[in-house]
Amino acid sequence: MKGNDKMATPRTVMQQKSRVYNNPGNFSLIRHAADGTNSTDPEDNLIVTDVIDSITMSYAVETEDRPDGNSLDPAETKITGRDATVTIVMNSMDIDLYSFVTGAVKVIEENKPFYRSGDKQTVKKVGESYQVELLGAIQPDSNVVVKYNNDNTPFTIVEEAPQKGEVSVDFDTGILTFNADDENAVITSAYYFLAEVKEERRIKAKPVIPAFQLNIVGVNTGLNEANPVLDNIIVDTAVVTGETSPLPREKGASTQQTITFKVNSPRGDNDPIVWQMTDVEA
């Protein structure tokens, strides 16, 4: 040490409590209404739980222009700010969530045609006839296709008593009647039956991509696994970016699905992202 040199004082840095999550948490989406406020319609509020594998937030160091928050609002001035995304990985994709993020229109109709194909059924003796029963009454005047499953040879549709290789169709009951020589034959069919209630999700050619308030909720315990703390991350305005698909999930298998939300400019004087914390009483 030279002259009047003094020993340097070590700098003390406050360590923020590390967060340990027993599960990834859950999230909810509240659709923005046309005027930019949160919709109060229960159909516009979706809660997603149980299927989440991970939730990741990322922030860019550089700043860039972010697009206006609500796709229903007219394009106005852009706000410069930090670019951020939220990536959520799930082990399956719920159809309601897919409809939410794609802007699909939900339509429910009664007694409407519903297409069905590929079911394998065996011709059995019922009373004095040989039959297969479809799912319900068949759409009048619709085309019905019936084939042998083993070689894809089609049956001929007839109105009178069927011979081998022929079938008669009762449109009112959905019952197919065959010849005795076709007993135990395995058939496949394609037809429109009348569904008592049919629910559709219609994705338009030019959909209005919705914006949401994204709420991420989790419980952390810290490294000592004590003093549980509730976390709530609120993203004021989020839109889905990239690709997403409601692929069917095979029984016993996990097919990961990813949704990426882009954080857009907030509404009014709101902050883009707010992280809330509160202690949980033991």
Side-chain angles (χ1 to χ4, degrees):
M1 185 177 296
K2 298 181 180 180
N4 295 326
D5 288 351
K6 296 181 180 179
M7 183 177 295
T9 302
R11 181 184 178 189
T12 301
V13 179
M14 290 293 292
Q15 288 276 3
Q16 184 179 6
K17 179 180 178 181
S18 297
R19 309 184 110 60
V20 177
Y21 294 90
N22 293 325
N23 59 67
N26 62 73
F27 72 95
S28 66
L29 296 171
I30 304 174
R31 198 190 307 269
H32 288 191
D35 61 0
T37 61
N38 285 347
S39 173
T40 58
D41 186 342
E43 292 291 329
D44 289 336
N45 192 319
L46 183 68
I47 302 173
V48 181
T49 61
D50 299 330
V51 299
I52 302 171
D53 287 342
S54 66
I55 299 176
T56 305
M57 299 189 69
S58 60
Y59 308 88
V61 176
E62 300 82 8
T63 59
E64 63 181 38
D65 282 348
R66 289 181 304 208
D68 184 71
N70 193 338
S71 59
L72 297 177
D73 291 340
E76 298 178 346
T77 58
K78 296 181 179 180
I79 299 176
T80 299
R82 190 180 295 263
D83 189 43
T85 59
V86 180
T87 302
I88 299 176
V89 178
M90 300 167 295
N91 56 43
S92 66
M93 174 70 74
D94 182 86
I95 188 63
D96 286 328
L97 176 58
Y98 184 73
S99 297
F100 243 64
V101 301
T102 58
V105 177
K106 181 178 179 179
V107 178
I108 297 179
E109 299 177 314
E110 297 182 354
N111 297 317
K112 293 295 182 178
F114 197 104
Y115 185 71
R116 185 73 180 178
S117 67
D119 292 333
K120 296 179 182 179
Q121 296 174 278
T122 303
V123 178
K124 294 294 184 181
K125 186 175 183 180
V126 179
E128 298 300 319
S129 60
Y130 299 85
Q131 300 178 353
V132 162
E133 185 174 1
L134 302 181
L135 290 179
I138 301 172
Q139 170 71 7
D141 301 324
S142 65
N143 186 40
V144 178
V145 177
V146 183
K147 295 186 176 184
Y148 288 101
N149 181 65
N150 61 343
D151 61 5
N152 216 29
T153 300
F155 283 80
T156 301
I157 307 295
V158 296
E159 295 182 359
E160 63 276 4
Q163 301 300 310
K164 180 176 174 57
E166 297 179 340
V167 58
S168 64
V169 180
D170 188 327
F171 284 80
D172 293 330
T173 63
I175 291 177
L176 306 180
T177 301
F178 299 82
N179 185 271
D181 289 341
D182 284 314
E183 183 179 9
N184 295 321
V186 178
I187 62 101
T188 57
S189 57
Y191 57 96
Y192 284 91
F193 74 96
L194 292 175
E196 292 184 6
V197 178
K198 181 176 70 172
E199 180 177 319
E200 295 181 343
R201 307 300 171 98
R202 300 176 180 175
I203 300 177
K204 302 296 184 179
K206 295 182 179 180
V208 175
I209 303 302
F212 310 95
Q213 176 179 303
L214 170 63
N215 306 285
I216 302 171
V217 179
V219 179
N220 74 80
T221 57
L223 292 176
N224 59 358
E225 296 188 359
N227 303 320
V229 175
L230 288 180
D231 280 336
N232 185 20
I233 300 174
I234 302 173
V235 178
D236 182 76
T237 301
V239 295
V240 174
T241 184
E243 298 180 355
T244 184
S245 174
L247 294 174
R249 179 179 176 183
E250 184 180 352
K251 184 177 180 180
S254 178
T255 303
Q256 285 193 330
Q257 304 289 315
T258 300
I259 294 182
T260 301
F261 293 93
K262 183 175 179 60
V263 179
N264 278 9
S265 59
R267 297 164 290 180
D269 296 328
N270 294 349
D271 292 312
I273 301 173
V274 176
W275 188 359
Q276 299 176 339
M277 291 151 278
T278 185
D279 290 335
V280 181
E281 293 183 4

